[in-house]
């Protein structure tokens, strides 16, 4: 009888005796079966709660510094900004996270405008400031937005 050496066994192996499933999860998910006879590709699909769009917008000069997935941001005056998404969301209940800043010393805030009904591709933000005996709306130098669903 002959004894197989480790080097000869590896050189002659064409596939695993038992195929294995390789899976990935997290922000994306997917899997593929690997038996060693060829390379694999894992097709992935995204899970819920993934950032779908974001922007860094100058609300004073009205231009994008950086933008992915947002078709437009329109200055509607009085600190209001109409945001239109490039893609339609599955429903109108997506998450909007936004921050704003300006050169004043007052505290600035940005919130969804309650006078506007959010749709599957549009929402409106309202930027306000407030401090010692001052309050009002403003155009932010930095308006940062993240959309998640």
């Amino acid at each position: 009888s002959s004894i197989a050496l480790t080097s000869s066994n590896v050189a002659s192996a064409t596939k695993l005796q038992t195929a294995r499933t390789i899976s990935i999860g997290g922000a994306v998910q997917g899997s593929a079966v690997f038996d060693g006879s060829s390379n694999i590709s894992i097709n992935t699909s995204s899970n819920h709660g993934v950032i779908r769009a974001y922007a860094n917008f100058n609300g004073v000069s009205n231009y994008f510094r950086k933008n992915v997935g947002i078709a437009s941001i329109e200055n509607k005056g009085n600190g209001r900004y109409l945001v239109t998404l490039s893609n339609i969301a599955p429903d109108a209940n997506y998450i909007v996270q936004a921050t704003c800043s300006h050169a004043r010393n007052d505290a600035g805030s940005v919130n969804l405008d309650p006078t506007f009904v959010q749709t599957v591709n549009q929402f409106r933000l309202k930027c306000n400031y407030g401090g010692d005996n001052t309050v009002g709306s403003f155009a932010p130098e930095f308006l940062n937005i993240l959309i998640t669903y």
Side-chain angles (χ1 to χ4, degrees):
S1 83
S2 65
I3 298 174
L5 300 173
T6 302
S7 61
S8 63
N9 186 30
V10 170
S12 65
T14 57
K15 67 181 198 175
L16 300 174
Q17 184 175 8
T18 304
R20 302 289 184 215
T21 299
I22 299 173
S23 300
I24 58 173
V28 296
Q29 63 184 10
S31 65
V33 176
F34 178 72
D35 68 3
S37 63
S38 64
N39 293 332
I40 61 169
S41 293
I42 300 176
N43 294 321
T44 60
S45 59
S46 62
N47 289 324
H48 297 289
V50 176
I51 295 172
R52 307 297 179 145
Y54 59 87
N56 177 335
F57 185 76
N58 183 318
V60 176
S61 302
N62 296 307
Y63 70 88
F64 287 106
R65 291 182 185 92
K66 185 106 177 166
N67 171 38
V68 171
I70 295 179
S72 65
I73 298 178
E74 184 181 347
N75 185 341
K76 303 302 271 181
N78 267 346
R80 288 183 167 86
Y81 291 85
L82 180 64
V83 180
T84 302
L85 302 176
S86 298
N87 298 308
I88 294 174
D91 56 50
N93 297 315
Y94 49 88
I95 298 166
V96 176
Q97 295 174 290
T99 61
C100 64
S101 63
H102 59 94
R104 300 173 52 104
N105 291 327
D106 303 316
S109 68
V110 59
N111 296 293
L112 286 170
D113 186 345
T115 66
F116 185 86
V117 177
Q118 184 171 317
T119 69
V120 293
N121 71 329
Q122 282 191 325
F123 58 92
R124 192 165 64 193
L125 297 172
K126 174 76 171 114
C127 299
N128 294 305
Y129 68 87
D132 295 336
N133 301 318
T134 60
V135 65
S137 60
F138 75 100
E141 292 174 57
F142 291 92
L143 177 58
N144 297 299
I145 304 167
L146 292 176
I147 308 303
T148 306
Y149 56 85

